[in-house]
Amino acid sequence: MARFVLAVAALLLAVAASGAAAQGVGSIITEAMYNSMLPNRDNSQCPARGFFTYDAFINAANSFSGFGTTGSAEQMKRELAAFFGQTSHETTGGTKGAADQFQWGYCFKEEINKATSPPYYGRGPIQLTGQSNYQLAGNALNVDLVSNPDLVVTDPVISFKTAIWFWMTPQSPKPSSHDVILGNWTPTATDNAAGRVPGYGVITNIINGGRECGGVNDNGGNADRIGYYKRYCDMLGVSYGDNLDCFSQQKFG
């Protein structure tokens, strides 16, 4: 009898998880779509293999009201394409110029040389970096990431949550990437003077403007982010929008 009860409970949990995935973000990024978008994430060459699971993404995504569920169907799809475009670049294992360059997102889960702001070097889909970001993300998620930054590379749900937290949260003078991709951000006079205009490009500026925007040699960073984004937009059947790069934008701050 006890075994029967446990079996029923397990079945109910599986059904509940399936139902959660079928709603909200999961209605756009199905497991089949996720696997098609990230076909090499579990490749034997990828250090992150087995880590970035679909269930972990859905669990994290459903924890943030409005993420991938705001606006029209087109806006929802474009936001998810933009999120995966940026995070795929951050975690890419692709080779520049290769035919499959944009099929290697989520290959890495932490900075390779671990040299940026150790021990708070880049981790997770968005490559969360710096003690301040670990502190703010930890406070928002109610976990101590300052004392245990490796949670971002040992717990896949927390890992995804840090990326979505960064995506959803404005950090003045930067708007949130969420507001930008939905068209809810209005540039200030300072932004206009700095060439920062609405579009995917300003999200790159939010994430890594100091190294990739304003005419610096970005080593192909803009092109890689845009390539991933366009691939995902095409897969989801949504237009790209305007202003995809940040070459002519000054960094924030």
Side-chain angles (χ1 to χ4, degrees):
M1 182 65 179
R3 289 182 180 178
F4 175 76
V5 171
L6 288 172
V8 171
L11 178 61
L12 289 173
L13 286 172
V15 170
S18 176
Q23 300 174 22
V25 169
S27 67
I28 298 173
I29 307 297
T30 63
E31 187 166 8
M33 176 62 74
Y34 186 80
N35 291 336
S36 294
M37 292 169 71
L38 307 171
N40 289 301
R41 74 182 191 281
D42 293 332
N43 189 289
S44 61
Q45 300 178 56
C46 291
R49 60 188 175 276
F51 184 71
F52 291 117
T53 66
Y54 176 72
D55 287 345
F57 167 66
I58 291 298
N59 186 323
N62 288 341
S63 301
F64 290 83
S65 177
F67 172 69
T69 59
T70 301
S72 66
E74 183 175 13
Q75 286 175 304
M76 294 177 198
K77 291 177 180 179
R78 187 177 294 112
E79 175 169 21
L80 292 166
F83 174 81
F84 278 103
Q86 293 288 348
T87 54
S88 289
H89 167 77
E90 293 291 335
T91 57
T92 189
T95 300
K96 184 178 178 181
D100 64 349
Q101 177 179 348
F102 308 121
Q103 296 180 26
W104 286 85
Y106 287 68
C107 185
F108 290 87
K109 61 180 178 177
E110 60 188 343
E111 187 178 332
I112 296 173
N113 58 21
K114 303 180 181 180
T116 309
S117 302
Y120 305 108
Y121 53 80
R123 294 178 176 88
I126 205 73
Q127 291 294 281
L128 191 74
T129 304
Q131 183 172 349
S132 175
N133 276 323
Y134 278 80
Q135 178 77 60
L136 291 170
N139 290 346
L141 303 178
N142 198 30
V143 291
D144 186 358
L145 296 181
V146 172
S147 297
N148 192 1
D150 276 337
L151 278 173
V152 185
V153 290
T154 57
D155 186 318
V157 176
I158 288 177
S159 192
F160 272 115
K161 282 184 176 181
T162 62
I164 300 172
W165 165 81
F166 187 93
W167 184 267
M168 299 292 290
T169 306
Q171 296 190 51
S172 184
K174 299 177 180 180
S176 71
S177 301
H178 173 72
D179 280 339
V180 169
I181 202 64
L182 290 177
N184 293 335
W185 172 61
T186 301
T188 65
T190 300
D191 290 319
N192 288 325
R196 295 190 290 265
V197 291
Y200 183 74
V202 85
I203 298 177
T204 298
N205 200 333
I206 290 169
I207 295 171
N208 203 28
R211 295 187 178 185
E212 296 183 34
C213 303
V216 300
N217 180 5
D218 70 343
N219 196 31
N222 267 264
D224 196 64
R225 293 177 193 271
I226 293 168
Y228 272 114
Y229 173 60
K230 285 185 172 181
R231 177 170 179 263
Y232 298 146
C233 282
D234 291 344
M235 294 178 73
L236 294 172
V238 66
S239 62
Y240 311 141
D242 300 322
N243 306 314
L244 302 187
D245 67 68
C246 64
F247 291 127
S248 60
Q249 300 179 18
Q250 296 176 29
K251 66 179 182 179
F252 282 93

